[in-house]
Amino acid sequence: MPELPEVETVRRGLAPVMENMTVLALETRRADLRFPFPEDFSARVSGRRIVGLGRRAKYLLIDLDDGMTIIAHLGMSGSFRIEQGGSSDLPGEFHHARSKDGKHDHVVFHLDSGDTACRVIYNDPRRFGFMHLWPRAELDLYPAFAGMGPEPTGNLLNADLLARRFEGRSQPLKSLLLDQTVIAGLGNIYVCEALWRAALSPLRKGATLVTVTGKARPPLQLLTQSIRDVIADAIAAGGSSLRDHIQTDGSLGYFQHSFAVYDQEGQPCRREGCSGTIERVVQSGRSTFFCATCQK
C-alpha cells in the first residue's frame, strides 16, 4: 500500500494539472471501488472548479469551489494517469509496469480551464482504493481523520509532543509510531528506516525515551529528526514505489534503492563501524527490519 511519500508525490504531480480546472464531467464507470461512490457523486462534482489539492496522512484531498472535498485513497494498486494533447504515453522508468488496461479505468475527470483540456484517469486493478465526498470545513470529523496525530512533515511534530505521547507507554516504539493517533501517515517502511537512523530498537518501550519529569530524552529528539529526514528524503526521491505504485507521470521512485533496513534481511548493516546483520521479526503481524547490534 502506498505510504505518505508516495501520496505526496502523486499530489505534486496532479496539482499543476488539476488545480483551477473545471470538471466538465466526472465519469464513474462502475458503482463502487472498495466502497460505493457517494450518492450523486458525478452530478455533485461535475461543473465544479478544483481550487486546490492537498493531503492528509495517506489520503489525497481534492478541494472544490463549493466547499466540498473529494477524499481519495489509492488502496493497493490505484494510480492516476493524465491524458493531454491526444497522448497518454507518459515518461518514466518502469520496474513494475502499471496497468494500462482500460477495463481498470474506473473514474475519469474531464477537465477544462478555457485554454486547455485534459483527462485525469483513476486506474485500480484491485479496486482497494476509494473516493468519498466531505465538507472541507468538517474534515476533522471524517472518521479516518478523527483523533489523527500531526503530520510528520508539519511544524506540530517535535520531541516534546512525542514525549507526551510516549510517557508511561509500555508499547514498543514500532507499534507507537504506526499508531495514527501518535503521528499521521507513518507506515511500516519509513518507521523501520527512521528507527535505524536514530539507532533505536523497534522493540524498545516508548516510555524509556521520556524522563521521569516527562521531558524528551536525547534519543527521542534524534528520532523526531530522523522521522522528518526519512520522509523528506523519500518525497525527494519520489517515494518507494513498491509493487504496483507509480508516480503520476508513470515513473517509479528510487528511495527503495537506498533502504538501510527495510527488506534487507541477512544483509550487513550499513552503519559505519557496525558489524551487525539486518534481522526480521514480526510485530503485530507486520515484518520489522532492524540491526540488533547498533539499534538499542
Side-chain angles (χ1 to χ4, degrees), residues 262-279:
Y262 186 81
D263 206 25
Q264 301 298 309
E265 182 181 8
Q267 298 298 313
C269 180
R270 296 186 182 185
R271 197 183 310 279
E272 185 175 356
C274 181
S275 59
T277 300
I278 304 305
E279 303 177 17

Side-chain angles (χ1 to χ4, degrees), residues 47-83:
R48 305 261 55 102
R49 184 171 60 88
I50 297 172
V51 296
L53 265 72
R55 178 192 53 75
R56 180 67 167 122
K58 304 173 187 179
Y59 297 79
L60 180 69
L61 307 177
I62 304 174
D63 293 326
L64 306 176
D65 63 356
D66 63 348
M68 300 299 289
T69 295
I70 299 172
I71 301 173
H73 195 286
L74 299 178
M76 293 293 291
S77 60
S79 63
F80 285 92
R81 182 173 78 252
I82 301 167
E83 291 188 349

Side-chain angles (χ1 to χ4, degrees), residues 117-241:
C118 70
R119 301 198 311 164
V120 173
I121 300 166
Y122 178 72
N123 181 291
D124 192 349
R126 303 184 192 182
R127 300 202 308 274
F128 286 167
F130 57 84
M131 294 185 186
H132 289 161
L133 200 56
W134 201 266
R136 175 72 192 186
E138 299 177 9
L139 280 181
D140 287 345
L141 301 179
Y142 181 69
F145 299 163
M148 187 176 279
E151 293 283 323
T153 56
N155 294 330
L156 292 178
L157 178 64
N158 56 56
D160 290 337
L161 180 143
L162 289 185
R164 293 192 296 272
R165 303 288 172 92
F166 286 5
E167 187 176 12
R169 304 288 291 273
S170 61
Q171 293 96 323
L173 287 174
K174 173 76 179 299
S175 298
L176 286 173
L177 292 177
L178 287 176
D179 183 344
Q180 298 298 292
T181 66
V182 175
I183 303 177
L186 283 187
N188 198 29
I189 295 172
Y190 300 108
V191 168
C192 290
E193 292 295 311
L195 286 170
W196 180 84
R197 292 191 184 197
L200 290 170
S201 170
L203 307 175
R204 182 169 173 171
K205 294 180 179 180
T208 64
L209 302 187
V210 184
T211 70
V212 294
T213 58
K215 301 297 183 182
R217 295 184 185 276
L220 184 51
Q221 295 173 351
L222 179 57
L223 175 60
T224 305
Q225 189 59 50
S226 296
I227 291 169
R228 287 185 171 279
D229 290 345
V230 75
I231 293 296
D233 289 348
I235 290 173
S240 302
S241 303

